[in-house]
Amino acid sequence: MTGRAMMATTGQPIAQGDVLWSPAADVLEHTRVGEFLAWVARERGLHMTTHDELWQWSVSDLEGFWSAVWEFFGVRTHAPYETVLTSREMPSTRWFPGARLNYVEHALGTAEDTGRVAVLGRSQTRADVELTFGELRDQVARARAALVRLGVRRGDRVAGYLPNIPETLVAFLATASIGATWAGCASEFGPRSVIDRFAQIEPVVLLAAGGYRYGAKDIDRRQQVAAVRAELPTVRHVVDVEYGDHRIGDTLSWNALLAEEDEAAAEGPVCEPVPFDHPLVVLFSSGTTGRPKAIVHGHGGILLEHLKNHALSWDMGPDDRMLWFSTTAWMMWNALVSSLLVRSSIVMVDGNPVHPDVTWQWRLAAETGATVMGASPGFVMACRKEGVDLRDGTATGGRDLAVRVLGSAGAPLPPEGYAWLSEQLAGAQINVGSGGTDVCSGIVQNNPLLPVYAGEISGRCLGVDAHAYDEEGRPVLGRLGELVITSPMPSMPVGFWGDHDGSRYRDAYFTHYPGVWRHGDWILFHENGSCHVAGRSDATLNRGGVRLGTAEFYRVVEEIDGVADSLVVHLEDPAGGNGELLLFVVGEPGAGLDDTLRARLAGALRSALSPRHVPDRIVAVPSVPRNLTGKKLELPVKRILLGARADEVASRDALADPDSLEPFIALAGSVGPGKEKA
């Protein structure tokens, strides 16, 4: 991909909407999307040269666009599909009925790739790991044979309580090759978070790591693994992947299982043909209003969406290598490993992303030759604040960076962040996007045909009929509205696990605007198609780009002696930092909020959930605002703390305690990022 950096290097201030990068005149000759357009012109007789033309076709002719994606990428199928989709009506759409395929068949490279590097493992726990496509195939075959010996069959669930390491990838691919379903949780998650997720899907095998190193800290997770294991009665076998120094007792050895001779493994991985919508992976929501939603994604939907996204938006192919720091609990982990679908290699990173300092990821990118890199907005702004300079080699260990596409997601990136990236990575394309676990991909982002605008997301993703709606369901431009998708996508969930009549799935996305997907974000679209996301339209907390559910907080906090009630809100940082996480607690009669209780609360949240759940401030209040049905008023409190008038966000007549907002009114303006603690 080629382009030109503009304006950021002129020394002039960067304003929202300024153009920082534009496609080169010969963009169609050097990009995957240009190759796709040439194929469409040749094979379908459709001549298009712009993103707007291609996007319009992709959402108006779903059959034509998605069948073109299928044919262009050579999707391998063991039975032909009968039709592309049964109907455009959501949520009853079915895609490619009759087809039999397997995601894994497309993720192991070709014969030509056998000796090429597929996976680089970089960790603060052990020495570097490297796997070629041939070695990856062999390990997947051995792991598949091992799981079959353990009794795993098509339709079973296998769970991984694991970090982002090559063993996790191998286990995922081996599971999916059988037709079993994978689910993952990061090793940093506390037992309650893991049990709330895995118990829903009743796994038969649990893979776990006994510990890891997080920067200079040695983390022992054996007690947490034991607690999770005790609450999963369906688990027949626990496998220790033997990562780090802490061995888990009474488990099977991953290395021994893979070392066992097996005739089936010697023949290479066998992939069970499954229907297009057969469950591939279960991803979990943040758990805001109760148990996390167990979102089921199918083989075919993830395969097609990621082929389209990685090649046509991220411009990836066999010469590329992706590094995107992620835990196994984020959908970006699935996006990372799907780079293998387009024959790109991946860098799997585990550890403290800013240890020993914020330049570690840049050094890894230079060392591994990453051409596509992900960087969260918080990380970008931290590098900018610390004066990191990528141009003279000091931050990259003396090596040159090969990054040509810099992706960012999880939170808005301010114009200053765009400017810093443009200065530091001259000529690279900044691809800021927004999507989510629900579709396991992007909804809006850049691609090689679109300019890069400071502080803005460049446009809608191909095949995604995204718009902003007002409360009455009318499209709006130039002002904030609900992010909606008005046509089906193949990677919309197959459903929620255990939701046999589909009622929870419909309630989650389709009740607010019948027949239209409501995503839950506030978004503003401009006339030129660019947009910016202003945040969640519900009460989900966004901590450094990672979503945290309030229900998970309450389950921990309100079990602690001395706490009668609680409420948690997050105030975002306009500069792109982590923001400020505020926990308000109501003490039990006779109990005050002292430093001892604060320490117990912080420790409980850290151990039961994760370090990201530890509040920046813990404040005592006499009562938690609730409506008459008992619902905590998180969003009204947040808006009051940000300066809104109380009578604009909540009616006192609708409160169980009309005076419960007063402490928050008094705090307004004194809390938030950059405000000193009282």
Side-chain angles (χ1 to χ4, degrees), residues 334-383:
N334 301 84
L336 170 71
V337 302
S338 279
S339 302
L340 299 169
L341 299 175
V342 293
R343 300 168 60 202
S344 297
S345 57
I346 62 174
V347 184
M348 306 186 78
V349 182
D350 177 52
N352 182 340
V354 293
H355 177 83
D357 54 52
V358 295
T359 66
W360 184 54
Q361 290 184 64
W362 297 113
R363 292 200 301 276
L364 285 181
E367 172 198 327
T368 59
T371 59
V372 180
M373 180 179 175
S376 73
F379 173 67
V380 171
M381 298 305 288
C383 290

Side-chain angles (χ1 to χ4, degrees), residues 492-541:
M492 285 176 173
V494 173
F496 294 164
W497 196 269
D499 181 26
H500 301 297
D501 64 359
S503 58
R504 290 174 55 221
Y505 178 53
R506 289 191 296 273
D507 289 346
Y509 305 112
F510 298 102
T511 55
H512 197 84
Y513 306 111
V516 172
W517 173 288
R518 174 180 175 265
H519 193 64
D521 281 344
W522 283 109
I523 193 167
L524 186 153
F525 281 101
H526 299 286
E527 289 283 353
N528 64 2
S530 69
C531 60
H532 67 262
V533 175
R536 295 292 293 174
S537 56
D538 58 18
T540 301
L541 312 173

Side-chain angles (χ1 to χ4, degrees), residues 377-379 381-382 384-385 410-416 533-534 542-545 570-581 616 638 642 671-675:
F379 173 67
M381 298 305 288
R384 176 181 178 271
K385 184 176 182 180
L413 180 65
E416 295 81 4
V533 175
N542 192 322
R543 181 73 158 164
H570 181 256
L571 305 182
E572 286 80 14
D573 183 358
N578 279 342
E580 185 168 36
L581 187 63
D616 295 298
K638 177 177 178 176
L642 291 173
V671 294
K675 303 291 176 61

Side-chain angles (χ1 to χ4, degrees), residues 544-606:
V546 177
R547 295 185 301 152
L548 309 176
T550 57
E552 294 181 301
F553 277 86
Y554 302 142
R555 281 195 294 270
V556 174
V557 170
E558 293 171 17
E559 287 291 311
I560 294 176
D561 290 341
V563 176
D565 204 354
S566 64
L567 183 139
V568 64
V569 298
H570 181 256
L571 305 182
E572 286 80 14
D573 183 358
N578 279 342
E580 185 168 36
L581 187 63
L582 303 170
L583 175 63
F584 300 95
V585 298
V586 179
E588 292 177 340
L593 178 60
D594 56 17
D595 289 344
T596 300
L597 181 54
R598 284 189 173 92
R600 286 171 53 213
L601 287 164
L605 288 164
R606 181 185 300 276

